[in-house]
Amino acid sequence: MDWMKRYPVSEHIMEAVREARRTLHKHPELSHEEEKTAAYVTDFLKQLGLEVHTGLAGCGVLGVLHGKGSGPTIALRADMDALPIQEENEVSYKSKKAGVMHACGHDAHTAMLLGTASYLAEIHEQWQGTVLFVFQPAEEDAPIGGAQTMMEEGVFKEYQPDTIFAQHVWPDLPVGTFGVKAGAMMANSDRFQLIIKGAGGHASMPHQGVDTIVAANQMISALQTIISRNTDPLDSAVITVGTMQAGERYNVIPREAVLEGTVRTLTYQTKEQVKERFYQIVEQTASAMGVEAEVYYYDGYPATINDEELSSFVKDTLAKNYGEETVPQVVPSLGGEDFGRFLLHYPGVYYWLGTAIKEREVQKPLHDPMFDIDEGALRYGVEAMSLLTLEALGGKDKEDDGNGNTGEQHDR
Ligand code: NI
């Protein structure tokens, strides 16, 4: 069915989405502190008449909506948290909280999912099955996140999703376009800390100490050889040392240096390979330089791996509705994403929603103090989520109906 022609998303709903987005943008909350956001979401869903569960993984919220009869269960996920960044945009909806900003668009994700809930509630007589609206906290708090805890606390205990979808605003894609591919879409994102211990001394008498800065320097260079010499050049991987702390004074050899950073890979095999080499290089460089190194390696979010068949389904559904050119080929990002944890348990798809601001010659990336979206994208986000849900709920069942079956037999 041509859902969007037959039952267009009303301007009334879109107004509520814009309003929600701006309200949330003005009042951003950090990971694990999304109390007001959760209250806003809860109120909104209750007003729609949904069954609402709160307090999942702290501030997580689950809304449950049933259609006219039994059918598959589709889960839709939005993240709700903001970042410790001071907003530099001068807009009417600028963050009112100093040092906190929705610089990753989670305000838009939440608002669009509320819009999707409004729309699907409005036409609930027209579809069969159950839709789960999952509002997740703490996405930015890698490697802890909120997805795993939500599942442990029973977000899907009563209703197990057959399929799960999520979308993320994407400043590199024009409004009205979508990025989706089968397989890895986002990376394994691990985190590390190295504490290098040597012996302090006078800068003029290095032979009496063990210099941790020189050792750290060797380690940083040696770690980069994992990417250039050990991993397949056609298989992307990144090691970045993001912080380096050592020393107090120009003429003192510091006895300790601390390095922190991240490792990004797209496959499990590469992740394990890089991790193994990481330990070898740190330990053996430490030994060669005469320092001790404490290694803290944290396995972070797993890669976001899209289901093959469902990726084609998403592409086809969007292309049919908006045209082939709106679903361009994309390559994966080495960013991390907590949604990968949901995909370890439930087949689904994570796709990018184009939000590029036309007026900007150079787009500001996610996590930039001047990141913003073109709000024209909000309608596409609501429509896409709704369409994918309706097609995923309906398509299969209609075929099954021909055989006298209903959606009840879907794999759980
Ligand atoms: Ni994000």
Side-chain angles (χ1 to χ4, degrees):
M1 190 196 315
D2 198 343
W3 288 100
M4 290 302 141
K5 281 225 172 83
R6 191 137 165 214
Y7 305 105
V9 177
S10 69
E11 198 36 46
H12 176 72
I13 288 178
M14 288 317 304
E15 211 131 285
V17 172
R18 278 190 290 274
E19 149 113 34
R21 188 258 159 168
R22 290 185 174 207
T23 303
L24 297 175
H25 194 92
K26 269 191 248 177
H27 304 283
E29 293 176 300
L30 293 173
S31 306
H32 306 290
E33 296 173 8
E34 308 90 339
E35 283 161 28
K36 290 193 177 118
T37 308
Y40 186 94
V41 166
T42 303
D43 274 358
F44 197 106
L45 296 177
K46 280 192 174 158
Q47 277 182 32
L48 294 175
L50 266 66
E51 174 188 332
V52 183
H53 303 261
T54 58
L56 291 150
C59 298
V61 180
L62 168 70
V64 183
L65 178 64
H66 299 288
K68 204 178 169 191
S70 61
T73 299
I74 308 295
L76 306 174
R77 173 276 210 170
D79 38 15
M80 301 190 290
D81 53 333
L83 287 155
I85 292 173
Q86 176 63 44
E87 176 154 23
E88 287 175 14
N89 289 309
E90 289 308 328
V91 287
S92 61
Y93 48 88
K94 181 177 179 171
S95 169
K96 288 185 183 295
K97 210 180 269 178
V100 185
M101 175 194 177
H102 268 295
C104 200
H106 299 187
D107 51 340
H109 302 165
T110 301
M112 291 186 288
L113 195 53
L114 291 173
T116 306
S118 303
Y119 173 74
L120 291 174
E122 199 175 275
I123 63 160
H124 74 279
E125 294 274 317
Q126 310 303 326
W127 51 271
Q128 297 187 332
T130 301
V131 184
L132 308 175
F133 300 91
V134 180
F135 293 88
Q136 185 210 304
E139 196 283 325
E140 300 289 1
D141 186 32
I144 298 164
Q148 188 60 37
T149 317
M150 280 191 101
M151 287 187 285
E152 280 163 13
E153 293 184 3
V155 66
F156 299 136
K157 199 170 151 208
E158 208 174 338
Y159 307 97
Q160 292 261 313
D162 296 294
T163 305
I164 184 163
F165 295 119
Q167 60 186 352
H168 202 295
V169 299
W170 212 248
D172 296 334
L173 288 170
V175 171
T177 66
F178 307 87
V180 60
K181 68 174 284 294
M185 190 80 186
M186 304 288 284
N188 293 301
S189 67
D190 298 346
R191 181 170 174 168
F192 63 82
Q193 186 190 41
L194 299 176
I195 302 176
I196 300 161
K197 291 181 172 165
H202 196 285
S204 68
M205 292 168 249
H207 59 294
Q208 291 178 358
V210 180
D211 193 341
T212 52
I213 285 189
V214 172
N217 178 39
Q218 297 284 346
M219 265 179 216
I220 294 168
S221 301
L223 286 173
Q224 291 307 325
T225 66
I226 302 176
I227 307 302
S228 67
R229 301 293 88 180
N230 299 135
T231 62
D232 181 339
L234 296 178
D235 181 18
S236 304
V238 169
I239 296 178
T240 293
V241 174
T243 75
M244 176 177 178
Q245 269 145 10
E248 311 261 350
R249 210 183 132 77
Y250 82 99
N251 63 351
V252 177
I253 289 173
R255 58 181 182 161
E256 190 173 283
V258 180
L259 304 179
E260 288 180 310
T262 184
V263 175
R264 305 297 172 103
T265 50
L266 288 173
T267 67
Y268 179 74
Q269 289 79 354
T270 311
K271 172 195 154 103
E272 290 301 305
Q273 183 201 14
V274 171
K275 190 173 164 182
E276 197 187 324
R277 285 295 291 149
F278 183 91
Y279 274 95
Q280 286 170 349
I281 283 177
V282 169
E283 280 158 17
Q284 289 171 27
T285 307
S287 158
M289 301 304 295
V291 294
E292 299 213 342
E294 286 174 22
V295 185
Y296 299 92
Y297 192 103
Y298 306 97
D299 293 305
Y301 296 155
T304 298
I305 310 283
N306 283 340
D307 180 89
E308 198 119 339
E309 213 176 297
L310 286 167
S311 302
S312 306
F313 161 80
V314 169
K315 249 190 221 170
D316 294 348
T317 305
L318 297 172
K320 216 171 105 190
N321 198 72
Y322 299 107
E324 291 287 340
E325 70 286 0
T326 64
V327 198
Q329 290 262 6
V330 289
V331 291
S333 157
L334 286 166
E337 169 58 72
D338 199 8
F339 189 66
R341 291 218 173 110
F342 286 121
L343 291 181
L344 288 180
H345 301 275
Y346 305 97
V349 174
Y350 171 91
Y351 63 91
W352 299 327
L353 172 74
T355 55
I357 298 172
K358 264 199 286 326
E359 294 73 23
R360 284 185 176 172
E361 229 165 86
V362 180
Q363 297 299 320
K364 297 292 180 188
L366 299 170
H367 296 202
D368 186 283
M370 288 187 76
F371 171 77
D372 201 358
I373 62 162
D374 183 327
E375 287 187 336
L378 295 172
R379 172 171 280 280
Y380 290 97
V382 173
E383 288 184 1
M385 273 292 199
S386 304
L387 255 176
L388 294 172
T389 305
L390 290 165
E391 290 292 337
L393 285 169
K396 206 166 180 181
D397 273 49
K398 270 175 213 146
E399 284 162 33
D400 290 347
D401 278 346
N403 302 323
N405 296 324
T406 68
E408 293 287 28
Q409 84 290 358
H410 282 266
D411 288 341
R412 287 288 150 125

